[in-house]
Amino acid sequence: MSDLLKLSQVSAGYGEAVVISKIDLSLKPGESLAVLGRNGTGKTTLLNTIIGVTRQRGGTIMLDGQDVTTTRPDKRAHAGIGWVPQERNIFKSLTVEENLTAVARPGAWNVSRVYEMFPRLKERRSNLGNQLSGGEQQMLAIARALVLNPKLMLLDEPTEGLAPIIIEELLAALKRIIRGEGMSAVVVEQHAQKILGVTDNAVILDRGTIVHAGSSRSLIEDPAALEQHLGVTAKKKPARAAAH
Amino acid sequence: QETVKIGLILPMTGPFASTGRQIEAAAKLYMQQKGDTVAGKKIQLIVKDDTGTADVTKRLAQELIVNDKIAVMAGFGLTPLALAPAPLATQAKVPAVVMAAATATITEASPYIVRTSFTLPQATVPMAEWAAQNGIKKVATLVSDYGPGIDAEKAFTSAFTAKGGQVENLRVPLANPDFSPFLQKVADAKPDALFVFVPSGIGAQFMKQFVERGLDKSGIKLIGPGDVTDDDLLNNMGDVALGAITTQHYSAAHDSPENKAFVEAFKKANNGMRPNFMAVGGYDDMHLIYEGLKKTNGAGGQALIDAMKGMSWTSPRGPVSIDPQTRDIIQNIYVRKVERKDGELYNVEFATIPNVKDPVKAAKSN
Amino acid sequence: MAAALETKGLIKRFGGLVATDNVSFKLEQGARHALIGPNGAGKTTFINLLTGVLTPTSGQILLEGEDITRLRPELRVQRGLARTFQINQLFPAMTPLETLGLAVSERLGGGRDWWRVIGSKREIVDEIVEIAQRFRLTDVLDERTSNLAYGKQRLLEIAVAFACRPRVLLLDEPAAGVPEAERHELLATVAALPRDVSVLLIEHDMDLVFSFADRISVLVNGALFTEGSVEEVSTDPRVRAVYLGESVDE
Amino acid sequence: MLTILFDGIAYGMLLFVLACGLAVTLGLMNFVNLAHGAFAMAGGYVTAVLMNRYGVPFLLTLPLAFIVPALAGLVLERTLYKRLYTRSHLDQVLFSIGLVFMAVAAVDYAMGSQQQMIQIPTWLQGRVEIFGIQVGLYRSFIIAVCGVLVVALQFILTQTRFGSRLRAAVDDPRVARGLGINVSVIFAATFAVGSGLAGLGGALGAEILGLDPTFPLKFMIYFLIVVTVGGTTSITGPFLASLLLGIADVAGKYYVPSLGAFVIYTLMIVVLVLRPQGLFARAR
Amino acid sequence: MQSNTADKVRSALSRRGRWSLGEIAFWLVAAGTLFFLPERHLILNEIAIIGLFALSLDLILGYAGIVSLGHAAFFGLGAYAAGILARNGVGDPLVGLGVAAIAAAILGFATSFLVLRGSDLTKLMVTLGVALVLGELANKMSWLTGGADGLQGISMGPILGLFEFDIFGTVAYTYSLVVTFVLFVLARRIVVSPYGLSLRSIHDNPLRARAVGIPVNRRLVTIYTLAAAYAGVAGALLAQTTQFVSLDVLAFHRSADVMLVLVIGGVGYLYSGLIGAVVFKVLQDVLSAWTPQYWQFWIGLILVLIVLAGRERLTDRIRALWPRSRRSLAADSPQPLQTTTAREV
Ligand SMILES: Nc1ncnc2c1ncn2[C@@H]1O[C@H](COP(=O)(O)OP(=O)(O)OP(=O)(O)O)[C@@H](O)[C@H]1O
Ligand SMILES: Nc1ncnc2c1ncn2[C@@H]1O[C@H](COP(=O)(O)OP(=O)(O)OP(=O)(O)O)[C@@H](O)[C@H]1O
Ligand SMILES: [Mg+2]
Ligand SMILES: [Mg+2]
């Protein structure tokens, strides 16, 4: 099967600075990819370049066989990308429901279905965007991307600020959607352990370049790589802080 | 060849731009007709835009005096614009010829100020007299709430009550888009006539709303100094203006050969624009300066101002002279009524009050 | 001894919604206390009430025994109550250096000082350096804050609260956006504060909560649901049902 | 008494007609377009020129008074304004004031500095008596047009997706784009409509307010007052604010003429101090 | 390592206080014009006054983020205060300046409470309203102000009892320039102090500013009052050097012009007002001499072009002449002004 998303030699940055350089990536339909890396290594920049809101400096991006390198972000969204930005960016002067209806596109995911997934949002449907709690905003950001009915979801730290029980449900749902409905996803995460159980493949970014790529499974089983690139000491409970 | 410089300071932009335009056009027309040489010297006109702001007028006047060494300055569209440079005129002994500003006191601010336009009381008092003589007993006055408006109100009220009339005063803010509450008050008061003074640009708006409210039909006569029926705008106002009775020193319809020639030349030079009372002020002022310079052989200063005093000539508006005491103009005031003439609207003069002096200063000297 | 921070019957309504429902809560001196609860339970609202960003509909707030319910926010800070925000609240057009310098000099009463250049005081400089090093901000001190990566901004957010040298520190999801590997270090920095500083932590990362806190309160639908030691709360089946889910182990 | 009320309403509606375009560009798009008055002036001049030079009937000129400024707005938006959405408000102020200066001088050059007059058709002149009060026909006409406008705008903004998409695009254009909203088209369309409304307002208002090259500067303050007092998040806000200001102004000038000039300003200050987001802003 | 960082920190922080060559050159040139441009002293005087006026607006707009479209209220009040004083026999210019500053400061203090809340637009309109009301008052109180005719009969004594104002404007310009310089030095001192930094932080994010213990309202009130006093002094300078005051010292265009001047110059580095005043006035003077009727068109065009060419980039370049305002440490390019200040937590 041909690639849904293919990045070749993509570079991007802000102003003078180049933040990510020469990234190669590809993703088949129904496949999912975790993007890991320390702070400031360019994970967000990578996602933002795929959706097109960061200025691309070089390379090409193919979406579903089309070259979208110079395509406007809204066109890319129409072509099937759903985006959950890191800072959530809820439209603050729209109600919860308007946040959804303003962007919704026809398909399997409609407003009532995302309300089922996040009942909390239904309770808050007429709150304005800036009258939501942090976690509620995160749910809304995810829901908002879903009602676009994308082929490809770009999720930038989607579990941030969510209660453990919701994370659990969200990850389960993600798994279901990817496996069951053939949606693809690129997920940026800080919780390597959690996300690797969901995605098929994983890459690790460091200073704007890919320093590790492979299947999620192999990465979980490779604590040395995790330790080296992310500093994660797998499953070791850190000692309680000295003062205790 | 020596040059004599005349500094012309006018509001060329902003809300009073049309005043500046009329005067500039008239002054240029005069120079074009009479040539730019007087007493063997070349006349140079320097036009400056003061945007209607007094401190700018003053600075421009000062620069003209200090840097350009002008012999005489002229222009001054509004009262504060004329008052601001007055001390300079005194200090530098440069005559200042006021072409537009109409508050009575201006010429008292400096012995170097002469005026070729008019003073508001000069145009207003005859209106009061005419009204009293023509069966009008009760008048409501409506003026813009600023210096000249208040001047007009005072002059009219005192002259009209002196003749036994009854007056009710109303003032509207200068920036006032809608006259309805004031007109409603007038309607409630049911006077015989409404005396109105608003700056000329606003006049048209006022006229329309006056008619829209049906006040003309309820028998209230519209009277006032000529600003509301400014010649510049009158024709465009349409029928609403018909019948308004005003007193002023100039109408484009004034019947004299001098005026016919002036109006025609003015229109020709300014693609059809009709001269108004501002224009005639500018035109006469150039005449005054030219004649003055002829007498002084091109010298400015004290000699020029002395030469101007008492000068008399026949202007497009009729016979005029400069009062040697007050340096204000003495002129005929005409009572006019807006009528249609050859398909256009004009202030048609039907009565003349000859040789009117500024009543304020006349009262003082008595 | 009075509790470091105490609320009595605190209520906040947003229209019809009761976001804080009659909360009577005590933060003991020197406590390492965590506040957890489902999304939208009212945790942030609670902090906003404590710090004066919001005014309560009714109820009382006591800081070290003194009623501060109506006190202006900045005066609470001056009395030693500092916080971090769930969503970064920084000075985007200033540099971390300036941000920290500002916080330190304000605390030292320098904000009224209008005749001296800010860098001229030694104690200020030393403290900036100390905090910057502690939060690994030295390399970005001179960058514009809005250009920093999110994680650095997050660190700055916490560093600013530290710079206020609080006696009571309220942390609203401080680890959000911080990579897994660094979270524990961050919290260790917090835990290493002098013992007389009391800390209230809101966090959804249970690893952190359990390793940091000695006491946990659970807020659900605006009301206090339960309170107890780590052991008690983490094994409470009701807490599992509404909040923890199954995957959290202890 | 009732006449005063009617006059107040009519005056308020006139203010609204003039300001509603600004309520759209400033209020909804959050673009400080001080050149609003220039578009209004354009509409006024379209009507004046068509009527006076070509004898087109008043009513027929109105659609053109909408369309011509709307097209001008569209062209300017596509070429210039669009570069300024992301800029600071100060840049927007500077830019739009620059445009105003240019418009003022250009119109002055082309049309002269004097007042332009239009003759409204006779069936709109004069007054009739309804329920014992004298009402001006033209003012009633303005009230009617205004009513239609309010209903239509309110409908579009609250009941259609266009409205929420517009607000989304204003809140966060970058993310709105990333979520499939064609921000450029929405902004261009909205801007064009805002300019068109301004033009329509100028054409309708010329009869009462007069029309000369300084129009955009002279009435700028009034537009801004209406939009600020009404709050910038809706159309009904400015509408109600216009009514309030119109009635208060007319009544104030009628009953206490000596304080007439203060009424509208003081009212504005009081309202804004008590409700800084505007009288009818959505709860935030 | 520790001391190394400390040194860097110290120098980065105190860099802002040092006078750079660019600045010194600026003031030397300004002083030089006293000798080199004797015919232009009148307009230079006006430039100095407008520059001071814009500087005062910069204090609140550029540093504290309070936009104002009614700054002429203080300018006008200062002008009238100085003018009325001089008309009633107190002709000493410095006394006039002092009284004008105090009068304007009192008005500033009283009205500062109106601009603490609300969006930028609200602040614009409230300040505008204050100025308009004041203008109407001045019109109504013609017994005191001379109303629309303007205040006449101002006669100024010599400065310090030594220097009489001359018709060439040399004394006037020297006087205005010296006053502007002194007040500039003071303002410069203030903005690099911790107090000045706290103003910038309030501008940036008032919510966070409160959360580090800054009494936001009090700071805003003080700076607003100070800026009002500055504007009052500028107004007094105008009244004293032109010996005339009319209603348009309070007019809307006065507030609008000063805003333009400041924005042209670049907002937020104190020189903005001065540079803007030079640029704007010189342009206006040249263009209006060239085409008195249509100069506005060209000014407008230039404004549009300045913005399109990236005003902020242009002014950043000027700013770069001042080392303390290195990109990252500058009172940065104005943030997009928010229409709502209600930031959600
Ligand atoms: N708007 C911007 N302007 C300039 N530089 C930026 C901007 N946004 C990010 N950067 C820089 O780009 C680099 C990468 O940032 P990015 O946000 O992509 O990192 P990230 O991997 O997502 O980090 P985090 O885990 O903190 O979210 C950082 O060093 C940051 O300083
Ligand atoms: N200004 C407001 N108006 C109306 N409702 C509000 C407002 N602010 C917050 N809320 C509601 O109050 C509830 C409590 O919000 P709060 O931010 O305190 O939750 P939280 O416990 O911090 O949640 P999270 O863990 O998601 O951050 C939420 O449901 C939110 O929608
Ligand atoms: Mg990121
Ligand atoms: Mg929260």
Side-chain angles (χ1 to χ4, degrees):
Chain A
M1 219 192 316
S2 71
D3 292 333
L4 177 65
L5 176 73
K6 186 168 170 57
L7 272 62
S8 14
Q9 298 288 300
V10 170
S11 305
Y14 309 89
E16 319 261 284
V18 176
V19 174
I20 53 170
S21 63
K22 311 218 161 132
I23 300 278
D24 288 309
L25 267 188
S26 65
L27 201 66
K28 300 223 180 326
E31 208 175 38
S32 54
L33 175 76
V35 179
L36 306 172
R38 294 174 199 256
N39 275 147
T41 51
K43 305 181 293 295
T44 298
T45 308
L46 175 63
L47 287 204
N48 291 359
T49 311
I50 297 174
I51 187 68
V53 296
T54 297
R55 203 158 65 105
Q56 195 176 329
R57 288 295 183 64
T60 52
I61 301 177
M62 308 282 288
L63 183 68
D64 221 358
Q66 302 277 325
D67 186 345
V68 296
T69 311
T70 56
T71 308
R72 291 200 316 259
D74 52 307
K75 289 260 174 67
R76 298 193 202 187
H78 285 220
I81 304 184
W83 176 41
V84 181
Q86 178 166 15
E87 284 168 73
R88 298 157 195 151
N89 303 79
I90 298 306
F91 300 124
K92 63 181 188 320
S93 56
L94 269 59
T95 62
V96 167
E97 184 137 329
E98 283 171 332
N99 260 286
L100 297 171
T101 52
V103 300
R105 298 172 64 76
W109 286 95
N110 54 23
V111 172
S112 51
R113 188 163 168 211
V114 295
Y115 279 163
E116 261 166 53
M117 183 163 168
F118 299 114
R120 187 87 208 164
L121 291 182
K122 192 167 182 185
E123 288 168 33
R124 294 279 172 272
R125 62 202 292 172
S126 49
N127 273 33
L128 287 183
N130 58 2
Q131 296 172 338
L132 294 177
S133 84
E136 288 163 349
Q137 293 188 20
Q138 185 67 281
M139 296 176 203
L140 181 54
I142 297 168
R144 193 176 56 178
L146 282 173
V147 294
L148 282 167
N149 287 292
K151 295 178 219 161
L152 169 66
M153 285 277 274
L154 304 177
L155 298 139
D156 203 343
E157 310 202 5
T159 65
E160 202 50 72
L162 294 181
I165 193 166
I166 305 279
I167 296 183
E168 217 170 87
E169 286 168 18
L170 176 70
L171 292 178
L174 263 185
K175 216 173 202 165
R176 262 200 322 275
I177 299 166
I178 293 167
R179 299 277 142 76
E181 304 182 19
M183 198 187 284
S184 307
V186 179
V187 192
V188 171
E189 251 308 337
Q190 303 287 0
H191 299 268
Q193 312 284 358
K194 280 184 188 143
I195 198 63
L196 289 176
V198 177
T199 54
D200 305 317
N201 296 318
V203 295
I204 299 180
L205 281 189
D206 192 9
R207 275 178 237 141
T209 54
I210 293 180
V211 292
H212 175 99
S215 74
S216 300
R217 179 163 301 276
S218 69
L219 191 58
I220 294 180
E221 285 157 6
D222 184 5
L226 283 180
E227 167 89 59
Q228 182 196 342
H229 298 300
L230 302 175
V232 177
T233 345
K235 281 296 159 199
K236 188 193 106 200
K237 282 269 170 247
R240 286 218 165 180
H244 288 241
Chain B
Q1 189 185 9
E2 255 182 86
T3 53
V4 177
K5 291 181 186 165
I6 304 174
L8 190 56
I9 310 173
L10 290 166
M12 301 298 290
T13 57
F16 302 100
S18 70
T19 302
R21 302 302 169 73
Q22 284 273 351
I23 294 177
E24 191 205 11
K28 293 212 159 129
L29 175 67
Y30 188 90
M31 287 186 65
Q32 184 198 326
Q33 287 176 343
K34 304 287 156 81
D36 60 0
T37 326
V38 174
K41 303 204 167 117
K42 195 170 158 53
I43 303 286
Q44 188 193 346
L45 194 64
I46 306 175
V47 183
K48 297 271 182 185
D49 171 26
D50 63 14
T51 70
T53 311
D55 52 289
V56 178
T57 316
K58 168 136 191 195
R59 197 237 315 148
L60 291 173
Q62 210 164 344
E63 282 181 351
L64 286 168
I65 293 170
V66 172
N67 297 341
D68 296 303
K69 314 250 170 344
I70 49 168
V72 50
M73 53 186 168
F76 314 112
L78 301 165
T79 303
L81 308 187
L83 289 173
L88 282 175
T90 316
Q91 196 182 352
K93 298 195 172 44
V94 173
V97 190
V98 176
M99 296 168 157
T103 304
T105 52
I106 290 175
T107 48
E108 293 167 358
S110 160
Y112 290 87
I113 295 181
V114 243
R115 171 154 47 193
T116 56
S117 52
F118 68 113
T119 77
L120 258 178
Q122 193 175 32
T124 309
V125 171
M127 185 80 257
E129 282 161 3
W130 182 88
Q133 283 157 17
N134 287 272
I136 294 172
K137 305 239 150 35
K138 189 175 164 199
V139 173
T141 67
L142 194 152
V143 300
S144 283
D145 192 0
Y146 76 129
I150 294 164
D151 256 21
E153 179 191 280
K154 281 200 192 122
F156 183 86
T157 309
S158 64
F160 192 63
T161 46
K163 299 258 184 257
Q166 230 189 323
V167 179
E168 182 173 344
N169 292 332
L170 284 173
R171 293 179 186 175
V172 299
L174 196 51
N176 182 62
D178 185 17
F179 290 95
S180 56
F182 301 103
L183 287 171
Q184 190 58 39
K185 264 200 147 17
V186 172
D188 296 348
K190 300 200 176 53
D192 301 323
L194 172 63
F195 171 90
V196 59
F197 173 83
V198 290
S200 81
I202 306 171
Q205 257 26 75
F206 174 80
M207 295 291 267
K208 287 195 164 183
Q209 297 190 21
F210 178 79
V211 173
E212 188 213 351
R213 198 148 287 265
L215 293 188
D216 57 333
K217 299 210 181 58
S218 55
I220 300 175
K221 275 207 177 69
L222 190 70
I223 61 175
D227 302 66
V228 264
T229 56
D230 185 348
D231 267 310
D232 195 9
L233 304 171
L234 183 59
N235 197 31
N236 289 328
M237 284 187 205
D239 294 348
V240 292
L242 282 176
I245 294 173
T246 54
T247 46
Q248 214 183 20
H249 56 282
Y250 180 70
S251 157
H254 179 70
D255 194 13
S256 75
E258 290 86 1
N259 187 45
K260 286 224 170 72
F262 170 64
V263 172
E264 203 159 298
F266 191 92
K267 280 188 172 173
K268 208 170 124 213
N270 297 286
N271 77 71
M273 181 164 82
R274 203 194 263 184
N276 67 0
F277 61 106
M278 298 290 177
V280 82
Y283 192 78
D284 284 343
D285 160 72
M286 288 306 286
H287 181 82
L288 183 63
I289 294 174
Y290 267 48
E291 294 304 313
L293 289 172
K294 271 183 204 160
K295 272 200 196 166
T296 64
N297 242 324
Q302 187 68 46
L304 183 58
I305 192 86
D306 289 342
M308 286 171 170
K309 286 183 197 165
M311 192 163 316
S312 66
W313 70 99
T314 306
S315 140
R317 62 182 112 167
V320 296
S321 64
I322 301 295
D323 186 334
Q325 272 86 49
T326 64
R327 286 160 279 108
D328 254 323
I329 193 163
I330 304 175
Q331 59 191 337
N332 295 347
I333 297 293
Y334 307 91
V335 190
R336 312 94 49 91
K337 185 170 187 178
V338 176
E339 285 172 15
R340 193 171 287 284
K341 220 176 98 182
D342 314 325
E344 292 193 15
L345 294 181
Y346 280 103
N347 289 303
V348 177
E349 296 166 352
F350 63 88
T352 306
I353 302 145
N355 299 330
V356 180
K357 286 189 176 187
D358 172 48
V360 174
K361 273 161 255 156
K364 273 190 204 159
S365 60
N366 287 344
Chain C
M1 192 169 59
L5 193 63
E6 183 175 358
T7 67
K8 291 184 182 161
L10 206 58
I11 296 179
K12 176 68 187 177
R13 289 204 183 84
F14 291 117
L17 176 79
V18 187
T20 305
D21 189 359
N22 200 12
V23 173
S24 297
F25 169 85
K26 255 190 188 172
L27 181 69
E28 295 299 342
Q29 291 280 3
R32 299 291 182 263
H33 200 129
L35 180 65
I36 61 174
N39 294 120
K43 303 180 293 295
T44 302
T45 306
F46 185 59
I47 300 267
N48 284 344
L49 291 172
L50 294 179
T51 52
V53 174
L54 294 173
T55 10
T57 314
S58 66
Q60 255 192 330
I61 305 168
L62 307 175
L63 180 66
E64 299 187 320
E66 263 183 89
D67 190 335
I68 57 163
T69 318
R70 305 272 150 210
L71 207 60
R72 286 199 307 271
E74 60 268 19
L75 296 179
R76 302 184 196 201
V77 179
Q78 285 167 16
R79 293 192 184 192
L81 180 66
R83 71 173 295 183
T84 67
F85 290 85
Q86 181 172 6
I87 295 166
N88 284 346
Q89 294 293 338
L90 295 166
F91 304 119
M94 298 185 4
T95 63
L97 177 61
E98 288 169 320
T99 309
L100 295 175
L102 178 73
V104 174
S105 83
E106 278 301 326
R107 197 192 71 234
L108 299 176
R112 288 182 303 272
D113 184 347
W114 53 268
W115 63 91
R116 235 188 312 244
V117 177
I118 190 167
S120 60
K121 271 205 182 152
R122 203 193 155 79
E123 42 194 320
I124 295 182
V125 171
D126 289 347
E127 201 164 332
I128 296 173
V129 172
E130 195 258 321
I131 293 174
Q133 279 171 348
R134 181 159 359 157
F135 288 91
R136 275 169 291 121
L137 289 166
T138 32
D139 50 330
V140 293
L141 271 182
D142 225 1
E143 300 282 332
R144 198 182 138 110
T145 301
S146 61
N147 292 349
L148 300 183
Y150 186 76
K152 287 282 185 205
Q153 295 192 10
R154 204 64 215 155
L155 287 173
L156 182 58
E157 173 78 35
I158 300 162
V160 178
F162 259 67
C164 297
R165 282 247 184 105
R167 307 192 27 76
V168 176
L169 179 60
L170 311 174
L171 300 166
D172 196 352
E173 301 195 26
V178 178
E180 220 172 0
E182 291 165 23
R183 297 175 168 224
H184 288 280
E185 239 175 288
L186 185 72
L187 265 276
T189 316
V190 176
L193 281 170
R195 239 3 282 211
D196 62 337
V197 177
S198 326
V199 182
L200 178 65
L201 168 76
I202 295 178
E203 190 46 75
H204 287 302
D205 183 333
M206 287 305 117
D207 277 357
L208 288 183
V209 170
F210 294 156
S211 65
F212 173 80
D214 38 32
R215 209 164 170 74
I216 298 180
S217 296
V218 184
L219 203 63
V220 176
N221 285 333
L224 271 184
F225 184 70
T226 180
E227 191 182 315
S229 69
V230 172
E231 281 304 316
E232 286 159 10
V233 172
S234 64
T235 51
D236 187 333
R238 295 177 310 153
V239 177
R240 279 197 175 266
V242 296
Y243 181 68
L244 293 177
E246 294 312 314
S247 66
V248 175
D249 46 13
E250 171 76 347
Chain D
M1 173 59 211
L2 283 175
T3 314
I4 289 300
L5 187 65
F6 171 80
D7 284 335
I9 293 174
Y11 180 45
M13 295 299 90
L14 187 65
L15 288 180
F16 178 76
V17 168
L18 278 166
C20 70
L22 189 68
V24 171
T25 45
L26 170 61
L28 302 173
M29 294 174 71
N30 194 16
F31 188 96
V32 187
N33 184 21
L34 296 185
H36 174 76
F39 291 101
M41 175 170 71
Y45 272 94
V46 166
T47 293
V49 168
L50 285 177
M51 287 180 71
N52 296 343
R53 297 230 179 118
Y54 304 102
V56 181
F58 177 67
L59 279 189
L60 280 186
T61 65
L62 291 184
L64 283 167
F66 178 90
I67 292 169
V68 173
L71 286 178
L74 188 66
V75 170
L76 281 174
E77 201 276 344
R78 285 292 79 198
T79 51
L80 303 177
Y81 275 100
K82 68 166 184 191
R83 299 159 200 261
L84 292 160
Y85 291 132
T86 52
R87 298 281 200 81
S88 70
H89 280 186
L90 291 179
D91 265 342
Q92 296 171 354
V93 165
L94 207 59
F95 175 81
S96 53
I97 264 290
L99 283 188
V100 172
F101 284 165
M102 290 172 71
V104 167
V107 167
D108 190 341
Y109 180 76
M111 306 290 303
S113 62
Q114 73 279 35
Q115 289 267 339
Q116 297 291 319
M117 309 287 164
I118 54 170
Q119 302 295 330
I120 50 167
T122 41
W123 59 270
L124 278 175
Q125 288 173 9
R127 301 162 77 73
V128 289
E129 198 168 304
I130 303 174
F131 307 127
I133 38 168
Q134 290 272 318
V135 300
L137 282 173
Y138 188 69
R139 286 175 193 248
S140 315
F141 174 70
I142 288 185
I143 294 179
V145 171
C146 191
V148 172
L149 275 180
V150 172
V151 173
L153 286 174
Q154 185 61 13
F155 177 80
I156 292 172
L157 290 170
T158 57
Q159 303 300 314
T160 65
R161 229 159 72 123
F162 185 86
S164 48
R165 290 180 150 235
L166 170 63
R167 278 179 287 140
V170 173
D171 274 355
D172 194 335
R174 195 177 74 110
V175 172
R177 271 193 203 98
L179 292 168
I181 295 177
N182 192 336
V183 176
S184 326
V185 166
I186 286 189
F187 275 6
T190 312
F191 195 88
V193 171
S195 312
L197 288 173
L200 186 63
L204 289 172
E207 164 69 13
I208 294 180
L209 303 178
L211 183 65
D212 66 64
T214 58
F215 184 92
L217 290 168
K218 227 177 357 191
F219 294 104
M220 186 159 78
I221 295 175
Y222 292 91
F223 310 145
L224 288 171
I225 290 178
V226 167
V227 176
T228 328
V229 169
T232 52
T233 44
S234 66
I235 283 292
T236 40
F239 174 73
L240 294 173
S242 317
L243 274 184
L244 175 74
L245 291 167
I247 294 170
D249 191 50
V250 169
K253 284 175 177 162
Y254 182 78
Y255 292 109
V256 267
S258 58
L259 298 180
F262 294 94
V263 175
I264 208 164
Y265 306 139
T266 354
L267 185 67
M268 170 181 79
I269 295 177
V270 170
V271 166
L272 291 181
V273 167
L274 297 180
R275 301 221 34 178
Q277 304 301 328
L279 205 44
F280 306 99
R282 269 216 230 187
R284 292 225 166 222
Chain E
M1 159 79 191
Q2 163 93 34
S3 70
N4 194 358
T5 323
D7 286 344
K8 257 195 259 162
V9 165
R10 205 184 336 266
S11 79
L13 282 177
S14 44
R15 186 161 56 217
R16 320 164 68 245
R18 246 172 268 136
W19 285 74
S20 76
L21 282 180
E23 288 181 277
I24 294 166
F26 179 92
W27 288 105
L28 283 180
V29 170
T33 53
L34 282 172
F35 307 100
F36 301 130
L37 286 174
E39 309 94 67
R40 313 304 299 164
H41 284 172
L42 290 163
I43 192 165
L44 284 169
N45 178 47
E46 210 170 300
I47 290 176
I49 292 170
I50 293 175
L52 178 61
F53 187 24
L55 168 70
S56 109
L57 184 62
D58 201 14
L59 282 177
I60 56 167
L61 173 55
Y63 289 88
I66 305 172
V67 282
S68 167
L69 207 48
H71 214 46
F74 310 118
F75 185 85
L77 183 65
Y80 272 113
I84 290 168
L85 206 63
R87 192 189 53 180
N88 294 331
V90 187
D92 186 72
L94 293 180
V95 173
L97 284 193
V99 171
I102 291 168
I106 290 172
L107 180 69
F109 180 75
T111 55
S112 66
F113 297 94
L114 304 179
V115 299
L116 293 178
R117 299 202 303 154
S119 65
D120 289 331
L121 189 60
T122 315
K123 289 176 186 156
L124 279 181
M125 296 313 286
V126 169
T127 49
L128 172 64
V130 169
L132 290 174
V133 166
L134 211 65
E136 280 300 330
L137 270 179
N139 185 20
K140 282 258 187 277
M141 304 202 317
S142 50
W143 52 272
L144 182 66
T145 61
D149 290 350
L151 185 69
Q152 282 138 63
I154 301 177
S155 64
M156 293 312 302
I159 301 164
L160 299 171
L162 295 174
F163 307 101
E164 282 280 359
F165 287 112
D166 60 305
I167 195 170
F168 303 99
T170 304
V171 170
Y173 174 46
T174 317
Y175 173 52
S176 300
L177 188 64
V178 169
V179 171
T180 301
F181 178 70
V182 170
L183 291 182
F184 174 86
V185 172
L186 182 65
R188 194 182 178 290
R189 201 69 211 170
I190 290 172
V191 301
V192 299
S193 72
Y195 171 82
L197 188 61
S198 73
L199 290 178
R200 273 178 50 206
S201 76
I202 293 169
H203 180 184
D204 237 14
N205 186 347
L207 179 66
R208 170 48 97 181
R210 282 205 177 83
V212 294
I214 297 172
V216 170
N217 287 357
R218 202 177 315 153
R219 296 280 155 85
L220 293 179
V221 167
T222 50
I223 193 68
Y224 198 75
T225 307
L226 181 75
Y230 268 49
V233 171
L237 285 177
L238 185 76
Q240 295 177 346
T241 55
T242 62
Q243 313 202 354
F244 187 79
V245 186
S246 68
L247 283 178
D248 53 36
V249 291
L250 286 162
F252 168 66
H253 70 81
R254 192 75 59 183
S255 304
D257 279 356
V258 75
M259 180 96 149
L260 287 187
V261 160
L262 179 62
V263 178
I264 290 174
V267 184
Y269 65 109
L270 292 186
Y271 285 92
S272 41
L274 302 173
I275 292 174
V278 174
V279 172
F280 189 73
K281 269 285 146 190
V282 169
L283 272 179
Q284 186 178 347
D285 196 50
V286 170
L287 289 174
S288 74
W290 171 51
T291 159
Q293 302 195 3
Y294 304 115
W295 60 270
Q296 279 191 329
F297 181 87
W298 302 106
I299 285 265
L301 184 66
I302 290 170
L303 293 183
V304 166
L305 291 179
I306 287 179
V307 175
L308 290 177
R311 172 185 66 85
E312 281 161 19
R313 256 184 297 133
L314 295 179
T315 51
D316 277 352
R317 202 150 301 165
I318 303 174
R319 243 181 247 201
L321 296 175
W322 284 265
R324 71 181 177 84
S325 30
R326 260 192 33 198
R327 191 198 88 249
S328 55
L329 287 177
D332 237 299
S333 47
Q335 287 288 296
L337 308 174
Q338 319 135 249
T339 356
T340 50
T341 47
R343 266 183 206 248
E344 221 22 61
V345 189

